[in-house]
Amino acid sequence: MRIDATVARLRLRPHHSRRFSLRLAHPGLGDGQTRTRDVRLMPKRGPPMQGNRTITADDLRQFTGTENWHRHNLARGVLFTDGAKFAADRAGAYWLLDEIAFGQRHRKVAVEGFQLWRLRVDLAKKAGSLACEDGNGKAVYRKRIPYTDFPLDEIILYFADGVILLPSEY
């Protein structure tokens, strides 16, 4: 009960990172004995995302090659480059990296060694379409995006050898 009350009180301020002591039963201790451990409810993060997401095509063209490979959190076999991470960070578009990573489960997509992923956005309607092409202009997968606040009218990402990257990084 004590823990539930603490958690409930902390949920009133979800943007603050709080620590509290949690009494845990430990298998090495006898009955009724407990061990205290500090628990961080929310990880420490950078500043919250701002409402005005700004990214331009010029911002994306500055990336040539990558210094770091970032592993996708859910599709562990998929990596992405610094440029793709920048686009996802600045535009709030990790969902786009997810769509590309999860798109690999479709047979027609997975057989393509090189994939060109194109997101087209109608900025007025805040809707778009995502297509995977084989590199020769032939679409092998399409998905309608009913809502997106992606700030550009179009972005192209490549997927090759298990890596999501910007065209300038290829």
Side-chain angles (χ1 to χ4, degrees):
M1 298 295 182
R2 182 176 169 203
I3 294 171
D4 292 336
T6 303
V7 170
R9 188 172 66 244
L10 293 175
R11 284 192 183 143
L12 295 175
R13 301 168 136 195
H15 59 281
H16 293 303
S17 177
R18 300 281 187 173
R19 292 181 88 104
F20 68 95
S21 293
L22 178 63
R23 295 176 61 98
L24 301 172
H26 190 273
L29 301 173
D31 289 339
Q33 296 180 345
T34 58
R35 183 176 175 175
T36 304
R37 173 179 283 173
D38 278 343
V39 176
R40 182 179 290 276
L41 287 180
M42 290 176 238
K44 193 170 188 176
R45 298 182 185 200
M49 171 113 10
Q50 301 300 320
N52 56 351
R53 298 175 180 168
T54 58
I55 188 171
T56 65
D58 289 334
D59 291 336
L60 300 178
R61 280 192 288 269
Q62 74 179 335
F63 291 94
T64 55
T66 190
E67 292 183 15
N68 301 297
W69 301 95
H70 308 276
R71 188 168 303 279
H72 191 275
N73 284 336
L74 299 174
R76 302 299 289 170
V78 174
L79 301 173
F80 52 94
T81 61
D82 289 336
K85 182 179 185 323
F86 175 84
D89 284 340
R90 290 288 292 272
Y94 276 97
W95 63 268
L96 180 56
L97 300 182
D98 292 345
E99 288 288 345
I100 295 170
F102 299 148
Q104 304 310 306
R105 71 177 184 239
H106 298 286
R107 191 173 146 274
K108 286 184 177 182
V109 173
V111 297
E112 296 297 332
F114 176 84
Q115 303 164 17
L116 183 146
W117 288 81
R118 183 185 315 266
L119 173 67
R120 288 192 172 127
V121 178
D122 183 340
L123 297 173
K125 294 181 181 176
K126 293 200 174 277
S129 65
L130 180 64
C132 174
E133 300 174 7
D134 64 358
N136 295 321
K138 179 184 170 200
V140 294
Y141 174 80
R142 290 187 190 279
K143 182 174 182 178
R144 186 177 155 270
I145 309 295
Y147 174 80
T148 180
D149 57 355
F150 194 80
L152 296 175
D153 60 348
E154 182 178 79
I155 186 171
I156 294 174
L157 292 165
Y158 293 163
F159 183 85
D161 299 322
V163 180
I164 301 170
L165 61 155
L166 294 172
S168 61
E169 294 177 302
Y170 189 69

